[in-house]
Amino acid sequence: MIQGHSYERLLEISKRVNWRVEDIIGPDKPMDFSKPFMPESFARTAELDFLGAAERLKLNQIRGFGYLAMFELVERCILPAIEAHVPSKPGQDPHRSAALQNFAAEEAKHIELFVQFRKAFAEGFDVPCAVIGPAEDIGAMIRSHGKLAVALFVLAIEWATQQHWLESVQDEEGLDPQFKSLLKHHWMEESQHAKLDALVFYELAEKAGPDGVMQAVDEFLQIGAFIDSGLGEQVKLDLAALESVIGRRLTEAQRVRFLGQQHQAQRWTFLGSALVNQGFLKALGEVSPAGRARLEEVAPIFC
Ligand SMILES: [Fe+2]
Ligand SMILES: [Fe+2]
């Protein structure tokens, strides 16, 4: 047991939380397209003063689509890595394999939830929205890094998801309740994931030793840079969707501003908020104070 968490206890909590996709999304639970989906701290549409209020609302919803589509993509990318950790060795915790198997099953369920969300969004929004991919290629690139670097990446994402709900979404009034409910249910299961990830991360970090952890931190930053370039591509897709839905092309100067400003907003959403997450930094700092310091040094670029 590490830090008061055990595989047995986390599995037990997770079984209690367990919800079904069909109970939280479906024709009887429509999204309200008159409301924003994302908190402004992530969408950052207010700075785009060349857009009217109704246009900024459309952009907010495009970002909401992209947010869950990106989680679907990331979870597709990391699922094989989680599954690879399931088999346990003699002497390891007797509940380890069952807890990790359950973790993988929950991520598979989340992917299904996000697929259903994309369908529901497509039915309610006036134009199609696109997302970067394919997940197979992006996942293969991420998983080409060492196991410890991938585990660190998974840990960062899981912590960020949790904090997004707790600090930015939960108390934000005026957001579409159905979109909020999806984030809440995702968070309910992600809170166990972040703790399970930490257990796996500690196992691997112990084996790798201090130099191995620093190597993983470097590779983690390479994964971050790769994701960041993908986010840059996503912003172009978001611009195309926005121009299509508002029925006008922005001027060249406005487009340049949009791409730079929204790329930074995406950076904060998916990378910066993870890099400053105290739970994530604490977990890393416990095995490598130097690794934590390295991430704290680069974090401002992503905020
Ligand atoms: Fe998930
Ligand atoms: Fe997760």
Side-chain angles (χ1 to χ4, degrees):
M1 195 199 285
I2 301 165
Q3 288 187 330
H5 302 304
S6 72
Y7 286 110
E8 184 179 20
R9 175 91 183 114
L10 292 168
L11 179 58
E12 198 184 292
I13 299 173
S14 162
K15 286 196 167 151
R16 235 182 297 143
V17 168
N18 193 29
W19 43 259
R20 299 182 316 165
V21 171
E22 57 269 39
D23 292 336
I24 63 167
I25 194 164
D28 58 328
K29 294 177 184 61
M31 283 173 271
D32 181 351
F33 284 87
S34 71
K35 291 191 160 72
F37 290 4
M38 291 295 279
E40 174 61 16
S41 55
F42 295 135
R44 296 189 184 172
T45 64
E47 294 166 38
L48 298 170
D49 51 14
F50 49 83
L51 296 177
E55 294 174 332
R56 288 203 293 269
L57 177 63
K58 293 289 184 198
L59 175 58
N60 180 294
Q61 291 167 351
I62 291 169
R63 290 291 310 281
F65 171 85
Y67 181 77
L68 287 188
M70 196 63 72
F71 272 110
E72 179 193 333
L73 178 83
V74 168
E75 295 199 353
R76 282 187 194 280
C77 296
I78 64 180
L79 184 54
I82 296 166
E83 285 168 337
H85 291 304
V86 172
S88 294
K89 297 193 180 72
Q92 286 191 303
D93 188 301
H95 301 280
R96 183 185 174 282
S97 288
L100 294 177
Q101 182 67 60
N102 184 66
F103 174 7
E106 284 179 350
E107 294 298 27
K109 182 177 75 176
H110 297 171
I111 291 169
E112 175 57 20
L113 173 71
F114 300 144
V115 168
Q116 295 302 327
F117 160 76
R118 281 196 291 111
K119 281 189 197 155
F121 186 94
E123 279 166 25
F125 202 66
D126 299 333
V127 300
C129 296
V131 64
I132 53 168
E136 294 71 32
D137 295 353
I138 296 175
M141 181 66 193
I142 293 173
R143 297 191 307 275
S144 71
H145 288 281
K147 273 186 191 170
L148 186 57
V150 176
L152 192 59
F153 173 67
V154 176
L155 184 66
I157 292 290
E158 308 272 24
W159 270 110
T161 322
Q162 274 204 68
Q163 196 179 23
H164 288 182
W165 166 258
L166 292 174
E167 290 185 11
S168 305
V169 182
Q170 182 174 224
D171 297 325
E172 179 96 355
E173 290 185 10
L175 300 182
D176 167 44
Q178 170 58 8
F179 189 79
K180 233 174 135 167
S181 157
L182 300 182
L183 299 195
K184 180 183 180 178
H185 284 87
H186 189 226
W187 163 79
M188 283 163 70
E189 296 189 337
E190 291 299 320
S191 357
Q192 280 71 257
H193 294 183
K195 292 166 191 141
L196 286 167
D197 283 330
L199 294 174
V200 171
F201 174 71
Y202 289 136
E203 277 173 24
L204 295 171
E206 201 178 348
K207 243 194 273 167
D211 290 349
V213 175
M214 280 314 281
Q215 160 77 23
V217 167
D218 280 342
E219 286 182 59
F220 169 82
L221 289 172
Q222 290 165 26
I223 295 173
F226 171 66
I227 299 280
D228 188 49
S229 68
L231 294 177
E233 292 306 307
Q234 183 61 47
V235 175
K236 292 179 195 163
L237 298 175
D238 289 354
L239 175 58
L242 177 71
E243 288 183 331
S244 168
V245 78
I246 67 178
R248 70 184 174 97
R249 195 184 148 91
L250 303 182
T251 68
E252 278 318 303
Q254 289 168 345
R255 296 180 114 226
V256 169
R257 244 181 92 193
F258 180 99
L259 294 174
Q261 189 269 350
Q262 280 293 296
H263 192 173
Q264 197 62 25
Q266 295 262 12
R267 263 187 197 126
W268 164 247
T269 306
F270 295 103
L271 300 169
S273 67
L275 288 173
V276 301
N277 182 287
Q278 290 306 308
F280 169 64
L281 289 173
K282 185 168 178 283
L284 173 60
E286 274 173 17
V287 297
S288 173
R292 175 183 173 142
R294 174 91 181 96
L295 293 191
E296 284 179 316
E297 187 187 304
V298 302
I301 303 168
F302 299 93
C303 293

